[in-house]
Amino acid sequence: MPIQYYIYLSLALFSIGIIGVLTRRNAIIVFMCVELMLNAVNLLLVAFSKMHHGVALATDPATTAGIDGQLFVFFIMVVAAAEVSVGLAIIVMMYRNVHSVDINFLNRLKN
Amino acid sequence: MNAIILSALLGVVMMFSGIITNNKSVLKYIAAAGLLLLIAANLLDTYALFKININTHGLLSFEKFGLYFNTLAFGATLVYVCLSGSDIEKAGINVAEYFALIFFVLCGISILSGFNGLLMLFLGIEILSIPLYILTGADKRNLKSNEASLKYFLMGSFTTGIMLMGIALFYGATGSFALNAPAIIPTTGGINPSFLQVAALLLLFVAMAFKVSAAPFHFWTPDVYDGAPGVFTSFMATIVKAAGFIAFIRLFQSQSVVLGPTWKIILSFVIIATLLIGNITAVFQQSVKRMLAYSSIAQAGFMLFALFAGNDLAREGIILYSVAYSLATIGIFAVLIKMSDYTFDGFNGLAKKHPVLAFTTTIFLLSLAGIPLTAGFFAKYYMLAAVVKEGGALWLVIIALFFAAVSVYYYFKVIQAMYFKEGDAETTEITGAFKTGLVLLAAFVILIGIWPSIILNGFYF
Amino acid sequence: MSKFVYLVPLFPLIGFLINGLGRKAMTKSMISIIGCGVMLASFVVSVLVFFDVKEHGATVVNLFSFIKAYSFQVPFAFQVDQLSSLFLLIITGIGFLIHLYSAAYMHEEEEQHFGRYFAYLNLFVFSMLLLVLGANYVIMFIGWEGVGLCSYLLIGFWFKNDQYNYAAKKAFVMNRIGDLGFLLAVFWLIFKLGTVSYGDVFANIDKLSDLDITAITLLLFVGAMGKSAQLPLYTWLPDAMAGPTPVSALIHAATMVTAGIYMIARSNILYTLAPVSQTVVAIVGLATAIFAATIALKQNDIKKVLAYSTVSQLGYMFLGLGVGAYTGAVFHVMTHAFFKALLFLGAGSVIHAMHHEQDIRKMGGLKKHMPITHITFLLACLAIAGIPPFSGFFSKDEILMAAYNSNPLYYYVGMAGALMTAFYMFRLYTMTFLGSFRGTHEQEHHLHESPSAMTIPLIVLAVLSVLGGFVGIPEVFASDAHSLEHFLAPIFAESAKIQHGHHLSHTQEYMMMGVSTILIIGIILFAVSKFKKTQAQQTESSGIAKLLENKWYVDELYDTVIVKPLHLLSVFLKNIVEKSGIDGAVNGVGKLVGYGSRQLRLLQSGQVGNYLLIMVMIMIVFVLIWFNDLTIMNFLKKLF
Amino acid sequence: MIPVFLILLPLLTGIVGFFIKEDNAAKGWALLSAVLTLVVAIAGIYFYPSIQQSFDSAWLPALGSRFTLTMDGMSKMLVLLTAVSFPLIFLATYKNRYKNAGSFYALMLLTQAGLMGVFVANDALLFYFFWELALIPVYFLCSLWGGEKRIAATFKFFIYTFVGSLMMLAGILYLYFQTADHSFAWQSFYAVQMEPSQQSLIFWLFFVAFAIKMPIFPFHTWQPDAYEQSPTATTMVLSGVMVKMGIFAVVKWLIPFFPAAADKYAQIIIVLSVVGMLYASLIAIRQDDIKRLIAYSSIAHIGLMSATLFTNSRVGLEGVMIQMFNHGVNVIGLWIVADAIEQQLGTRKLSELGGLAQKAPVLAILLVVMAFANIALPLTNAFIGEFLMFNGLFSYNIWIAAIAGISIILAAVYTLNMVQKVFYGNTTVVTENAIDISGHIKLALVVLVVVVIALGVYPQPMIDLTKDTVGATMAGK
Amino acid sequence: MSITEILFFFLSALAVFSAIMVLVSRNPVHSVLWLIAVFFAISGHYILLNAQFLAIVNLIVYAGAIMVLFLFVIMLMNLNKETERNKHIWMKLAGAVSGGCFLMVLVSLVRQASDFQEKTALMGTGDIGLIKNLGKALFSDFVVPFEISSVLFLSAMVGAVVIGKKE
């Protein structure tokens, strides 16, 4: 599969994530969109990993080139999990205080 | 490596010490002792006396520059703990956990000063950021703190996304996460670097600019610094930010070949925007805390010069700048935290009530403004000198100097409030030890202002 | 003896210091003894110097190096020659008399003011002596400004009166305008020749181009115009009459105002080589002579009449200088010093007697009350009117003859002026001394002759006024009798070489003298008869008379043309340019920063969405900038 | 060693001064320190010239900056001016009451240390340090002890001059990287050969800094406000000594480094300066506040100096040299009088004053001498300077000299205006109960008057003192 | 068109469609469910790319754990109703346009970059994605970051405790 397709797909998902972050007001949805962005990156990394592996495979059949890409995905997932736990905790804390998760509502701090 | 392991361990120790005692001063002493230990361990590492040797497979590299920065960062943290440690309880009751988080942040800093690939950069930044999200929201019943925390978190994770996209594209272009890897895919134009690598670096640049609050990616800074409990703002705005710069420079210095001349245009745009927004917006702030937030943006503008110049002088300069800026800001925040009113009016008449506080604050403010005989002067001096040495960007230096003059305006507003205005600056209890600490710190700031080599020689000895 | 010439200015300086510093500690008599004593000492030395010069000729006495900066240097040196020694005599001699007179005249003042007065007066004499003795233009300038200072101090002596203070300030400022010209001339000399010493300058005169000489002489003349109250810078002198009368006599008649003449006489060779400047000098002098004379016709203040008369007489002197009659001018300086000092002192005596009443319309018939004053005054009037054989006749005649030689028109106009002089002087004399007293009874009751300290100087000066002319008997009467000319010949020798004198025939000269004398006598008789019966009541004058009474409205003209616009400009600069313009621009930068701050703050809206939106937008912009050579736009166009 | 003493003495005594709580002790301490400094200065310059006049020690080896102090003629003269001024200032304002007198005098002494440093530093970075060190204490002095609008006025002054010094810093940095040995030493800077086109920008960077300090038109607007609002003792320092920093810097740091640019832009600067002279003089005519009047008068005088600096004339430069000293002495004298009046009568408004000559004859006489020195009457010190300077200006351009000469007339107008309004005429409500000045002011003024006259009659020592600087500066041309 | 291609396009379409649905859904619960759909689609892609381990981990961690956590929180807050008020229309438009521009700019960049012409991602073959190989690499070359990520978790844990603990 041409690598461009993966790039386009990934960028599309990433951009959809961005659009989501920019257009939604619900903090949880915004956060979900961030997760979507991360997943787009994951997909791209895996695709690149396979691309590099393919290139290396042509010369060295025992190569493990490209494995770092997949491992990076693994670490991204780790971080994402940690972030989610903290992020949701913060959102819940916020909700407890103001009974809303509307990010437009967050404007005590400005100017 | 010593520092990374020990700081993580110390984090755990602090965590558990919370179970044993809840006495804040005991915790403070434990933390201070831990920091001393950390400094010692790091120094041992620096001089190759005792090293925990772990094969990092090239993911981390510990050279003098990074290790020296670690020492300074830990030292600054020690100063911070000594001055503001007892005020941490103002933020919330979980003092032990806060100290633990601070140690985790230091772990992240140690990684950032030694990363050798994008993976460790990513991990380091996350280890740095996640505790900060928490610390920002530490004052749980304070809506501002909540808001700051959520804002910081949302924007931070968004930026993480951007950064990861950059890393992915970088990986696509080079096939590696290592910084020194050349583009494995030959470029069409011969000398042109891979487009995707450049685009990747651009996205990484945006992400790093966000972390060091360079405009126009600075928006989180005022709100978060303002909303976070004062003690943690102090920590975030100084040591953490300096670490961000170290990472920034580490990342981009290795890529100078890849970055074309356009890089400088974009960078100078960012520098000017940062100086402009930081300085100009600070002028009309009513709250000293918020003013300091903007001022930290402004100072970031100066620190970006190191990136712009990218020479030896810049490397020395960024260290000196970090120290000068951090010490002065820690000092001011230590005083600010003691105030019951964070607005400028809250400082009215401080000179009468607490002349020592006012005097030392004045020294710190002068240092931030870059007045000679204080550390801040040589910090700015090195930054500008680095740029001038590269040649051709004198106009940028002149613009920067103009903004330095603007910065005098808002820094001196504090001095005016303290000395020239009548008022009853209410503070919490000021101990003699605190005053002594401030005086020592101020003396050190002046000492650096006269002999900057006491910091810079650390590179060579 | 010449090497002790420094004693001449030193004595008055000592007097100044003693009187100035110790004025509170000393009694009036001590003060006056010191004040007069130093003058007498100075006079004695001057006499000795004079005879020394007469015998041994000129010398330059070097005292010390005043300024020495590289090649340029100004020595503090004194020029002792015929011209300066003559002036020394006039200054110290008349100075002494006036000091003596002052001791009595100022006796009503308190001790400290009395001391102050003598200190100023001594300082003035010191400055004037410096002016005259200086061996270069810088030392002359020191004296030049010094006398201006003393004039300022003395005009404003009664400093409680603001009117007087304005007059003093006016005198100083107008003098400064002239001084600027003087200074520029000096700079010009330094620029071209690198020296200011008379000897060096006159020796190197061939190094100067015609333009240089003309410019330098004209600039010097500007200085002279200020100091010697020539058109258009004369208006300060009548106002200067605010000072005590002896001061007017010494400074504003006999000595200081003749500094300009001294200076031009000193620089005669330069002027002789600059015909344009000479013409300017002559015309300005003549115009001043006639202009001031017209004003004097209708003045009612006894001192004002004398002041305008002084201006007018100074004009004659400049006419003389302008037509090359340097000796004549100096001669007139001398005789004028005698009779004008006498006139002022006489007026002072009158004022003293009248209890500071100066309006001649309120006087009259003083003849019988003050005989000595009357006689001496009359003699002075005759001298100034130019009746032979009084001193004024000889000097004025010499100038007018030279003027005729140069241009007959000068002579006719000058003659008209002389007639006017005779008219207003005798108008003054008649209204003051003849007829009946028009003042109050109380004043009349107190009328008395002045004490001897005042009358003795009058008498001495009267003698000099009468006989002083005989040092300069014109050739027409006796050949080689002009002893002054002989004496001064070395000074003007260079000029004389260049000047080609064609002389009038003796008959013509006799005829002109005769006609003028007859005319003057006629005018005098007319004036005496016209004003003898003056009554106390005043009539509103109109037409030209009113114009003259108001001094041609020159003061008002200056006020409108120069003073007021200057003040308006000042206010404009202060309130508009400085406040709104320059400072406004500076504050504007600050305001701009403040405005920017308030606007930029709005960017920090507090909305996370906005922040991120801006970030994304900037990111896109960065990509576009970075890859602008990749024609992303073209691709985008294709896309749609 | 002398320059080190000159800096350290006020610096250390100043720091000690902060801890003196008792007002009179602080005054005495400051006076003692200032007198000691004066003694050291005079002894070092005149009596023991054999003692080392320079000092050199390592400071920042990594940067190529050394702690190098030297004294050439101009430095000596300005050091002397600084040393002379401070005791007189302390003396003249001895009776003035300051809250926290200890801090006040301490800051004054720190200012003195900074000034001394500026005048003797031979290393650009060091020079910059002292340049700022002299400024900061003044900021506090004016803001803490100044008049009603002190905070705004001082702030403007501070930011204005700070902008200038930052410009200079940029220039210094640029030059530094042009030096062959990467050093801040004066000699290294001097040896830099720059293209004329390169010189231009750096020249202006330096010049603006110095022009603000002097100040010359149109960079002067901080000055009247600052002078008016500062406590008079500080104003004396500001106008008497501090403005000389700008001129000093032009002679020592600007003209030798950028001869080509100095020639190229001489015309602009001279015209600006001359315009400033007339402008300031005209404004001074309508000032009602004595302090503002003196301030504008000072601008006019400085304008002449700055114009002459660029005329490339040896004699003119010599004039500038001695005028630096003389202007300092004269303007301090005027301030002392202004302060004496203000302290006693509580007003500085000309319109409210009058007739003081009756009440305070001694003050009147001393002021009149000072006033005439201000308008450069011959036999006062200012005459020599102005005379030489006008010579320089004249040799540059006749018309400019003539136009500048108008200021001589205007100076007479405003100065005499002041004398008249303050001292002459009848007493007013304010001056009715005035008494004459007391001993310490009298002493200070008499000393000044003696200096004024002595240097007016025999200026040669001053000329000789600064000859070498003038020679060196002109030799570079 | 081979089966791989068909699957690729199907999964891509599914992913994009689901992603769009995430952000247009008014109900947060629906958003979560659509996001899970995206994850499934992406996991499908992983399988296509022969990265089975990641595919499984993705499902377990993301779809299984994280999204459940989200759902849990949403339920906790009782947000399953359509409570979210709309953003201002201009802000929405600006957000969409910016995101679109971002996509277009990057896509155009990729299109013009010659780097990836003719490059393909290896489908089906290549065994680096197998758990054996990944595990070996993880515990040899990548052991340091692996250990360090424990610090991350630790701090996240401490953080969650600090935030969540009642005072």
mmCIF file of all heavy atoms in Angstrom, chain C residues 66 68 70 159-160 165 169 176 187 567 570 578 583, chain D residues 156 220 279 282 286 296 375 408 417 425 460 467:
data_model
loop_
_atom_site.group_PDB
_atom_site.id
_atom_site.type_symbol
_atom_site.label_atom_id
_atom_site.label_comp_id
_atom_site.label_asym_id
_atom_site.label_seq_id
_atom_site.Cartn_x
_atom_site.Cartn_y
_atom_site.Cartn_z
ATOM 1 N N PHE C 66 46.953 84.807 29.615
ATOM 2 C CA PHE C 66 45.562 84.662 30.029
ATOM 3 C C PHE C 66 45.000 83.337 29.522
ATOM 4 O O PHE C 66 44.576 82.491 30.300
ATOM 5 C CB PHE C 66 44.767 85.848 29.489
ATOM 6 C CG PHE C 66 43.319 85.825 29.854
ATOM 7 C CD1 PHE C 66 42.914 85.584 31.156
ATOM 8 C CD2 PHE C 66 42.350 86.063 28.896
ATOM 9 C CE1 PHE C 66 41.572 85.569 31.483
ATOM 10 C CE2 PHE C 66 41.015 86.059 29.222
ATOM 11 C CZ PHE C 66 40.627 85.805 30.513
ATOM 12 N N LYS C 68 46.009 80.152 26.918
ATOM 13 C CA LYS C 68 47.026 79.613 26.014
ATOM 14 C C LYS C 68 46.593 78.209 25.671
ATOM 15 O O LYS C 68 46.736 77.275 26.445
ATOM 16 C CB LYS C 68 48.382 79.612 26.699
ATOM 17 C CG LYS C 68 49.520 79.189 25.808
ATOM 18 C CD LYS C 68 50.850 79.647 26.400
ATOM 19 C CE LYS C 68 52.027 79.023 25.685
ATOM 20 N NZ LYS C 68 52.115 77.570 25.949
ATOM 21 N N TYR C 70 47.286 75.721 22.737
ATOM 22 C CA TYR C 70 48.037 75.431 21.519
ATOM 23 C C TYR C 70 48.560 76.723 20.909
ATOM 24 O O TYR C 70 49.049 77.595 21.603
ATOM 25 C CB TYR C 70 47.190 74.627 20.521
ATOM 26 C CG TYR C 70 46.653 73.434 21.192
ATOM 27 C CD1 TYR C 70 45.378 73.429 21.724
ATOM 28 C CD2 TYR C 70 47.474 72.341 21.415
ATOM 29 C CE1 TYR C 70 44.922 72.356 22.426
ATOM 30 C CE2 TYR C 70 47.028 71.263 22.126
ATOM 31 C CZ TYR C 70 45.758 71.264 22.621
ATOM 32 O OH TYR C 70 45.324 70.211 23.329
ATOM 33 N N PHE C 159 17.251 99.444 43.240
ATOM 34 C CA PHE C 159 16.628 98.254 42.680
ATOM 35 C C PHE C 159 15.201 98.025 43.134
ATOM 36 O O PHE C 159 14.544 97.111 42.699
ATOM 37 C CB PHE C 159 17.486 97.011 42.971
ATOM 38 C CG PHE C 159 17.815 96.828 44.426
ATOM 39 C CD1 PHE C 159 16.842 96.418 45.307
ATOM 40 C CD2 PHE C 159 19.106 97.059 44.886
ATOM 41 C CE1 PHE C 159 17.144 96.246 46.637
ATOM 42 C CE2 PHE C 159 19.402 96.878 46.224
ATOM 43 C CZ PHE C 159 18.414 96.486 47.103
ATOM 44 N N LYS C 160 14.727 98.868 44.037
ATOM 45 C CA LYS C 160 13.345 98.658 44.457
ATOM 46 C C LYS C 160 12.374 99.066 43.361
ATOM 47 O O LYS C 160 11.238 98.617 43.322
ATOM 48 C CB LYS C 160 13.053 99.479 45.715
ATOM 49 C CG LYS C 160 13.539 98.783 46.962
ATOM 50 C CD LYS C 160 13.094 99.544 48.182
ATOM 51 C CE LYS C 160 14.033 99.262 49.322
ATOM 52 N NZ LYS C 160 13.842 100.161 50.447
ATOM 53 N N ASN C 165 14.884 98.739 37.016
ATOM 54 C CA ASN C 165 15.442 97.423 36.717
ATOM 55 C C ASN C 165 15.257 97.054 35.258
ATOM 56 O O ASN C 165 16.132 96.470 34.630
ATOM 57 C CB ASN C 165 14.779 96.369 37.595
ATOM 58 C CG ASN C 165 15.141 96.561 39.050
ATOM 59 O OD1 ASN C 165 16.262 96.938 39.345
ATOM 60 N ND2 ASN C 165 14.187 96.358 39.939
ATOM 61 N N LYS C 169 18.162 96.186 32.623
ATOM 62 C CA LYS C 169 18.167 94.969 31.819
ATOM 63 C C LYS C 169 18.221 95.302 30.338
ATOM 64 O O LYS C 169 18.970 94.690 29.565
ATOM 65 C CB LYS C 169 16.913 94.163 32.129
ATOM 66 C CG LYS C 169 17.038 92.714 31.765
ATOM 67 C CD LYS C 169 15.856 91.943 32.278
ATOM 68 C CE LYS C 169 14.666 92.154 31.376
ATOM 69 N NZ LYS C 169 13.485 91.465 31.854
ATOM 70 N N ARG C 176 24.527 93.588 24.751
ATOM 71 C CA ARG C 176 24.903 92.224 24.377
ATOM 72 C C ARG C 176 24.731 91.987 22.888
ATOM 73 O O ARG C 176 25.503 91.248 22.280
ATOM 74 C CB ARG C 176 24.035 91.224 25.140
ATOM 75 C CG ARG C 176 24.594 90.881 26.480
ATOM 76 C CD ARG C 176 25.045 89.449 26.505
ATOM 77 N NE ARG C 176 26.205 89.305 27.337
ATOM 78 C CZ ARG C 176 26.763 88.131 27.658
ATOM 79 N NH1 ARG C 176 26.250 87.025 27.189
ATOM 80 N NH2 ARG C 176 27.830 88.085 28.393
ATOM 81 N N PHE C 187 36.290 86.525 16.609
ATOM 82 C CA PHE C 187 36.444 85.152 16.115
ATOM 83 C C PHE C 187 36.983 85.149 14.694
ATOM 84 O O PHE C 187 37.803 84.323 14.319
ATOM 85 C CB PHE C 187 35.112 84.410 16.152
ATOM 86 C CG PHE C 187 34.571 84.232 17.536
ATOM 87 C CD1 PHE C 187 33.214 84.265 17.775
ATOM 88 C CD2 PHE C 187 35.431 84.045 18.603
ATOM 89 C CE1 PHE C 187 32.715 84.107 19.036
ATOM 90 C CE2 PHE C 187 34.942 83.882 19.879
ATOM 91 C CZ PHE C 187 33.576 83.920 20.097
ATOM 92 N N HIS C 567 8.424 86.985 22.697
ATOM 93 C CA HIS C 567 7.703 86.387 23.816
ATOM 94 C C HIS C 567 6.634 85.421 23.338
ATOM 95 O O HIS C 567 6.439 84.366 23.929
ATOM 96 C CB HIS C 567 7.099 87.486 24.688
ATOM 97 C CG HIS C 567 8.075 88.021 25.675
ATOM 98 N ND1 HIS C 567 7.800 88.211 26.986
ATOM 99 C CD2 HIS C 567 9.364 88.382 25.519
ATOM 100 C CE1 HIS C 567 8.857 88.668 27.614
ATOM 101 N NE2 HIS C 567 9.827 88.783 26.725
ATOM 102 N N SER C 570 8.326 82.368 22.389
ATOM 103 C CA SER C 570 8.717 81.643 23.595
ATOM 104 C C SER C 570 7.539 80.874 24.165
ATOM 105 O O SER C 570 7.655 79.687 24.493
ATOM 106 C CB SER C 570 9.260 82.640 24.611
ATOM 107 O OG SER C 570 9.472 82.023 25.825
ATOM 108 N N GLU C 578 7.114 72.244 22.977
ATOM 109 C CA GLU C 578 7.736 71.421 24.009
ATOM 110 C C GLU C 578 6.728 70.444 24.604
ATOM 111 O O GLU C 578 6.972 69.256 24.672
ATOM 112 C CB GLU C 578 8.313 72.336 25.104
ATOM 113 C CG GLU C 578 8.931 71.592 26.260
ATOM 114 C CD GLU C 578 10.375 71.206 26.009
ATOM 115 O OE1 GLU C 578 10.814 71.339 24.854
ATOM 116 O OE2 GLU C 578 11.051 70.780 26.952
ATOM 117 N N ASP C 583 7.780 66.586 23.930
ATOM 118 C CA ASP C 583 7.432 65.776 25.093
ATOM 119 C C ASP C 583 6.232 64.903 24.766
ATOM 120 O O ASP C 583 6.125 63.772 25.226
ATOM 121 C CB ASP C 583 7.137 66.684 26.288
ATOM 122 C CG ASP C 583 7.414 65.971 27.595
ATOM 123 O OD1 ASP C 583 8.220 65.029 27.579
ATOM 124 O OD2 ASP C 583 6.824 66.349 28.606
ATOM 125 N N LYS D 156 10.267 58.681 34.071
ATOM 126 C CA LYS D 156 10.513 59.078 32.676
ATOM 127 C C LYS D 156 12.006 59.243 32.458
ATOM 128 O O LYS D 156 12.578 58.739 31.488
ATOM 129 C CB LYS D 156 9.791 60.392 32.422
ATOM 130 C CG LYS D 156 9.866 60.887 31.002
ATOM 131 C CD LYS D 156 8.842 61.977 30.874
ATOM 132 C CE LYS D 156 9.134 62.947 29.788
ATOM 133 N NZ LYS D 156 8.268 64.106 29.873
ATOM 134 N N HIS D 220 15.718 66.020 25.198
ATOM 135 C CA HIS D 220 15.941 66.681 26.474
ATOM 136 C C HIS D 220 14.734 66.680 27.380
ATOM 137 O O HIS D 220 14.829 67.145 28.501
ATOM 138 C CB HIS D 220 16.295 68.128 26.191
ATOM 139 C CG HIS D 220 15.164 68.869 25.569
ATOM 140 N ND1 HIS D 220 14.927 68.830 24.230
ATOM 141 C CD2 HIS D 220 14.177 69.619 26.097
ATOM 142 C CE1 HIS D 220 13.849 69.535 23.962
ATOM 143 N NE2 HIS D 220 13.368 70.015 25.076
ATOM 144 N N TYR D 279 16.318 77.107 21.162
ATOM 145 C CA TYR D 279 15.023 76.603 21.624
ATOM 146 C C TYR D 279 14.936 76.660 23.151
ATOM 147 O O TYR D 279 13.998 77.200 23.719
ATOM 148 C CB TYR D 279 14.907 75.177 21.107
ATOM 149 C CG TYR D 279 13.679 74.419 21.528
ATOM 150 C CD1 TYR D 279 12.483 74.592 20.852
ATOM 151 C CD2 TYR D 279 13.734 73.522 22.578
ATOM 152 C CE1 TYR D 279 11.375 73.879 21.222
ATOM 153 C CE2 TYR D 279 12.625 72.801 22.954
ATOM 154 C CZ TYR D 279 11.452 72.987 22.272
ATOM 155 O OH TYR D 279 10.347 72.282 22.654
ATOM 156 N N LEU D 282 14.893 80.218 24.461
ATOM 157 C CA LEU D 282 13.602 80.880 24.289
ATOM 158 C C LEU D 282 12.605 80.377 25.318
ATOM 159 O O LEU D 282 11.820 81.145 25.869
ATOM 160 C CB LEU D 282 13.080 80.631 22.873
ATOM 161 C CG LEU D 282 13.708 81.527 21.821
ATOM 162 C CD1 LEU D 282 13.331 81.047 20.429
ATOM 163 C CD2 LEU D 282 13.251 82.966 22.010
ATOM 164 N N ARG D 286 10.400 82.252 29.363
ATOM 165 C CA ARG D 286 9.040 82.281 29.907
ATOM 166 C C ARG D 286 8.839 81.343 31.092
ATOM 167 O O ARG D 286 7.706 81.044 31.443
ATOM 168 C CB ARG D 286 8.038 81.909 28.808
ATOM 169 C CG ARG D 286 7.952 82.918 27.712
ATOM 170 C CD ARG D 286 7.574 84.276 28.230
ATOM 171 N NE ARG D 286 6.143 84.456 28.322
ATOM 172 C CZ ARG D 286 5.573 85.622 28.579
ATOM 173 N NH1 ARG D 286 6.303 86.690 28.774
ATOM 174 N NH2 ARG D 286 4.268 85.712 28.634
ATOM 175 N N TYR D 296 16.488 74.686 31.708
ATOM 176 C CA TYR D 296 16.546 75.025 30.286
ATOM 177 C C TYR D 296 17.829 75.765 29.951
ATOM 178 O O TYR D 296 18.419 75.581 28.885
ATOM 179 C CB TYR D 296 15.313 75.829 29.876
ATOM 180 C CG TYR D 296 14.127 74.952 29.618
ATOM 181 C CD1 TYR D 296 13.081 74.859 30.522
ATOM 182 C CD2 TYR D 296 14.056 74.177 28.482
ATOM 183 C CE1 TYR D 296 12.011 74.021 30.302
ATOM 184 C CE2 TYR D 296 12.988 73.345 28.236
ATOM 185 C CZ TYR D 296 11.965 73.269 29.149
ATOM 186 O OH TYR D 296 10.915 72.433 28.925
ATOM 187 N N ILE D 375 25.960 83.699 32.250
ATOM 188 C CA ILE D 375 25.903 84.292 30.919
ATOM 189 C C ILE D 375 27.299 84.598 30.415
ATOM 190 O O ILE D 375 27.478 85.382 29.500
ATOM 191 C CB ILE D 375 24.999 85.532 30.877
ATOM 192 C CG1 ILE D 375 25.464 86.581 31.861
ATOM 193 C CG2 ILE D 375 23.581 85.158 31.176
ATOM 194 C CD1 ILE D 375 24.591 87.799 31.856
ATOM 195 N N ILE D 408 23.668 83.914 23.323
ATOM 196 C CA ILE D 408 24.341 84.764 24.314
ATOM 197 C C ILE D 408 23.403 85.875 24.758
ATOM 198 O O ILE D 408 23.292 86.198 25.935
ATOM 199 C CB ILE D 408 25.608 85.402 23.704
ATOM 200 C CG1 ILE D 408 26.599 84.322 23.319
ATOM 201 C CG2 ILE D 408 26.239 86.364 24.670
ATOM 202 C CD1 ILE D 408 27.884 84.906 22.790
ATOM 203 N N ASN D 417 16.373 88.341 33.871
ATOM 204 C CA ASN D 417 14.968 88.267 34.235
ATOM 205 C C ASN D 417 14.819 87.610 35.601
ATOM 206 O O ASN D 417 14.094 88.084 36.477
ATOM 207 C CB ASN D 417 14.270 87.395 33.206
ATOM 208 C CG ASN D 417 12.948 87.954 32.819
ATOM 209 O OD1 ASN D 417 12.541 88.999 33.346
ATOM 210 N ND2 ASN D 417 12.268 87.301 31.911
ATOM 211 N N GLY D 425 13.103 94.894 42.882
ATOM 212 C CA GLY D 425 11.715 95.282 43.070
ATOM 213 C C GLY D 425 11.368 95.265 44.549
ATOM 214 O O GLY D 425 12.236 95.195 45.412
ATOM 215 N N GLN D 460 44.555 78.943 33.034
ATOM 216 C CA GLN D 460 45.597 78.112 32.454
ATOM 217 C C GLN D 460 45.732 76.722 33.099
ATOM 218 O O GLN D 460 45.906 75.735 32.390
ATOM 219 C CB GLN D 460 46.927 78.860 32.507
ATOM 220 C CG GLN D 460 47.885 78.443 31.414
ATOM 221 C CD GLN D 460 47.288 78.556 30.029
ATOM 222 O OE1 GLN D 460 46.643 79.545 29.714
ATOM 223 N NE2 GLN D 460 47.455 77.541 29.215
ATOM 224 N N LYS D 467 45.047 69.235 28.299
ATOM 225 C CA LYS D 467 45.715 69.364 27.013
ATOM 226 C C LYS D 467 45.935 68.005 26.354
ATOM 227 O O LYS D 467 45.716 67.825 25.162
ATOM 228 C CB LYS D 467 47.055 70.039 27.243
ATOM 229 C CG LYS D 467 47.454 70.978 26.157
ATOM 230 C CD LYS D 467 48.742 71.643 26.559
ATOM 231 C CE LYS D 467 48.701 73.115 26.262
ATOM 232 N NZ LYS D 467 49.793 73.841 26.845
#
